[in-house]
Amino acid sequence: MATMKKYHYTSKWSICLSLTLLSIVSLSFFFFITANKNPTSSASSDHQLRIQTSNPNSIKVYVADLPRSYNYGLIDQYWASTSPDSRLPSDPDHQTPHPHPPNRYPENPLIKQYSAEYWIMGDLETPQNLRTNSFAKRVFDANEADVVFVPFFATLSAEMELAKAKQKNMFRKKGDGNEDYKRQKEVIDFVINSDPWKRSGGRDHVFVLTDPVAMWHVRSQIAPAILLVVDFGGWYRLDSKSSNGNSSEMIQHTQVSLLKDVIVPYTHLLPRLYLSDNKKRQNLLYFKGAKHRHRGGVVREKLWDLLVNEAGVIMEEGFPNATGREQSIKGMRSSEFCLHPAGDTPTSCRLFDAIQSLCIPVIVSDNIELPFEGMVDYFEFSVFVALRDALTPNWLVRHLRSFSEEQKDKFRHRMAEIQPIFVYENNHPGGIGPILPDGAVNHVWKKVHQKLPMIKEAIVRAKRKPPGVSIPLRCHCT
């Protein structure tokens, strides 16, 4: 009887196993037939798999095939110009050298502070065998790329137009005399008619727009793309005007978002001070810059009046010429804290000069966005002050004097550790050559890499929309 029961149980198990195997074989056959009937679906699945298994240690970048006249050709045009920048006082250190090094970016500090586009491009132009330190892996087939880099020196184009003294009032106007507007339109026409843009709607394209007025006339057209900006200061006002306050679908800040865009650092103008060379600092607080600013920068004038007569505080008005540079080096290296109030936009190059000078930043800018957050914690080496507190008489100086020597040393040690991540320059003539493995260029691409899942999702969602169906413009708030 026991034998019969055992045999009966074994038979049941054998039958179940057989049915399971038969089901697996049937399903496999079904998917094989389906895949062969629908090769497009199979290719799409392979594409999705490639997205999901993207190398976490690199990002694949395709460089759009723009003519040289939109990048290095602009540098040639700059050096060929005989008219100095009327916004900069006469300065023998910044005269045009003849002959100039090939592809050498302008040394004019008003332009150099926005040179991220130049260093990112220089890395991508470096021969493959020398790019072992680069997080971005250049590919030459757009179908293999994670993102498409648009090599337009938009900031240099804008700055060259602004430098024309007689054309200043024409900068925001679309006319035959505005060469920057002409270049913007040509670049957009080239890019949006390309196959990569048509496939993604531009969502996987990367533009460098470090100057607040870069690509001013075509921003709405490139809004879906990944924008590398120093802050969002100039975009809020543009969105506010474009919405007219009467559209339920147009919400402010729709053109820029931390979900898709990347905040990048300015190029610092002052040399790096190593911790081993740091000396005792005699002053409490230092600031050098223009006292009068527009928009959110009006706070600077109020702070100036509150602080200018305080003991241990140095407030200097000046320009970034040779004399001003030496004053800034001396002032930042001899002061415990460096003031960073909002200017025309929430950020400025001054913050990154302070970090390179091991001068503890005092950030008075309620709307500031900072580069590489999540990779670096600014609270470990900076003092953040609310605008209302900073404008309270005697409050700021009293607050800064409350920090102990131990706390200030800790801030400076942390700054010394993270100084390299804000450095773009690679010390190669023309900017083309191996980059610093822990420098700014790699950190920019790492931040772009973090955006890829959301970018890919947006591309897929857009594809499923039926023809003629609009996608509401919504604000992604943070």
Side-chain angles (χ1 to χ4, degrees):
M1 190 68 175
T3 302
M4 290 293 292
K5 285 184 178 180
K6 182 176 181 182
Y7 174 78
H8 183 66
Y9 175 80
T10 304
S11 298
K12 277 186 173 182
W13 185 86
S14 299
I15 292 170
C16 289
L17 179 61
S18 299
L19 289 172
T20 302
L21 290 172
L22 182 60
S23 298
I24 293 173
V25 171
S26 300
L27 286 170
S28 299
F29 180 74
F30 171 77
F31 283 118
F32 174 78
I33 295 298
T34 303
N36 281 276
K37 283 183 177 179
N38 190 357
T40 303
S41 175
S42 176
S44 178
S45 297
D46 289 343
H47 177 64
Q48 292 302 318
L49 181 62
R50 187 165 65 249
I51 291 173
Q52 294 170 8
T53 58
S54 179
N55 188 347
N57 298 315
S58 67
I59 184 171
K60 289 180 286 186
V61 181
Y62 175 78
V63 180
D65 192 22
L66 278 181
R68 186 179 185 277
S69 59
Y70 297 108
N71 40 74
Y72 292 116
L74 286 174
I75 296 179
D76 296 338
Q77 186 177 333
Y78 173 88
W79 289 118
S81 174
T82 57
S83 58
D85 192 325
S86 61
R87 295 169 298 162
L88 189 69
S90 178
D91 179 3
D93 280 10
H94 296 125
Q95 296 298 314
T96 303
H98 297 285
H100 66 84
N103 295 345
R104 182 68 176 176
Y105 204 77
E107 289 294 324
N108 178 336
L110 292 174
I111 300 177
K112 184 179 179 180
Q113 64 180 332
Y114 299 124
S115 61
E117 55 194 12
Y118 172 75
W119 300 108
I120 293 172
M121 181 69 172
D123 171 45
L124 293 170
E125 287 291 289
T126 299
Q128 290 293 96
N129 62 313
L130 300 178
R131 302 190 66 248
T132 54
N133 290 333
S134 300
F135 186 80
K137 304 302 178 185
R138 183 171 181 178
V139 297
F140 296 88
D141 183 347
N143 295 314
E144 299 177 2
D146 293 315
V147 294
V148 177
F149 179 74
V150 181
F152 176 40
F153 288 177
T155 284
L156 181 57
S157 177
E159 286 292 332
M160 288 171 63
E161 194 68 29
L162 285 169
K164 298 177 184 178
K166 296 181 180 179
Q167 297 283 345
K168 276 188 176 181
N169 294 330
M170 295 294 295
F171 178 78
R172 287 187 171 87
K173 297 181 180 180
K174 305 173 183 179
D176 294 336
N178 191 332
E179 292 297 321
D180 179 44
Y181 168 69
K182 180 182 177 182
R183 286 188 289 264
Q184 292 177 39
K185 292 296 294 180
E186 291 170 348
V187 168
I188 288 300
D189 289 343
F190 180 93
V191 173
I192 65 176
N193 287 309
S194 67
D195 289 336
W197 182 279
K198 291 176 182 177
R199 283 197 299 267
S200 69
R203 291 174 179 83
D204 57 357
H205 283 53
V206 179
F207 289 85
V208 186
L209 308 179
T210 46
D211 193 300
V213 295
M215 298 201 82
W216 181 267
H217 297 288
V218 296
R219 286 184 169 186
S220 61
Q221 293 172 265
I222 63 172
I226 304 165
L227 309 177
L228 309 187
V229 297
V230 292
D231 59 40
F232 294 153
W235 294 77
Y236 294 162
R237 296 188 308 280
L238 184 64
D239 285 347
S240 179
K241 290 178 181 178
S242 63
S243 70
N244 295 319
N246 58 13
S247 172
S248 61
E249 291 189 342
M250 177 65 79
I251 304 176
Q252 289 186 18
H253 320 330
T254 53
Q255 293 186 345
V256 285
S257 166
L258 286 176
L259 290 179
K260 71 177 184 69
D261 301 319
V262 174
I263 305 296
V264 302
Y266 288 77
T267 302
H268 64 85
L269 301 177
L270 302 188
R272 179 180 179 181
L273 174 66
Y274 291 88
L275 191 61
S276 58
D277 296 325
N278 184 56
K279 297 179 181 178
K280 184 173 176 61
R281 296 168 182 254
Q282 297 83 24
N283 305 313
L284 176 69
L285 181 64
Y286 179 76
F287 172 81
K288 182 177 183 64
K291 178 180 179 180
H292 304 285
R293 293 281 85 182
H294 304 291
R295 297 180 289 273
V298 295
V299 64
R300 189 179 293 185
E301 188 170 348
K302 297 177 181 179
L303 279 171
W304 190 293
D305 293 337
L306 283 174
L307 296 170
V308 68
N309 293 319
E310 290 281 355
V313 176
I314 299 177
M315 304 290 287
E316 294 179 340
E317 187 158 14
F319 300 92
N321 55 15
T323 303
R325 182 176 184 272
E326 293 306 313
Q327 289 176 339
S328 293
I329 292 174
K330 180 180 178 181
M332 286 192 169
R333 293 188 177 189
S334 62
S335 302
E336 300 278 12
F337 299 92
C338 283
L339 186 64
H340 182 74
D344 291 342
T345 57
T347 58
S348 75
C349 179
R350 187 177 297 102
L351 171 62
F352 306 98
D353 284 337
I355 292 172
Q356 297 302 321
S357 303
L358 298 178
C359 185
I360 302 166
V362 179
I363 299 174
V364 184
S365 182
D366 292 351
N367 297 319
I368 197 169
E369 297 292 351
L370 297 165
F372 312 146
E373 290 209 78
M375 296 177 174
V376 59
D377 184 353
Y378 287 80
F379 197 70
E380 295 178 343
F381 58 87
S382 304
V383 177
F384 290 87
V385 177
L387 180 58
R388 64 179 182 277
D389 292 330
L391 294 179
T392 301
N394 303 318
W395 188 94
L396 183 57
V397 169
R398 187 166 61 247
H399 179 61
L400 297 180
R401 292 191 187 282
S402 70
F403 285 87
S404 66
E405 292 299 324
E406 182 181 1
Q407 287 175 302
K408 289 182 287 188
D409 285 343
K410 187 176 179 180
F411 281 165
R412 273 191 288 272
H413 275 80
R414 181 56 182 145
M415 263 192 290
E417 293 173 356
I418 55 89
Q419 279 175 325
I421 76 172
F422 300 114
V423 176
Y424 287 105
E425 298 191 45
N426 56 26
N427 298 319
H428 296 286
I432 297 176
I435 61 173
L436 298 173
D438 56 350
V441 172
N442 271 349
H443 278 78
V444 168
W445 285 120
K446 288 176 182 178
K447 288 300 290 188
V448 173
H449 188 270
Q450 290 178 3
K451 313 289 183 181
L452 288 184
M454 288 171 284
I455 300 302
K456 299 299 182 184
E457 180 181 332
I459 293 172
V460 172
R461 290 181 67 248
K463 286 181 179 178
R464 67 170 170 77
K465 290 289 182 180
V469 175
S470 63
I471 301 175
L473 298 173
R474 297 188 178 98
C475 171
H476 296 289
C477 301
T478 57

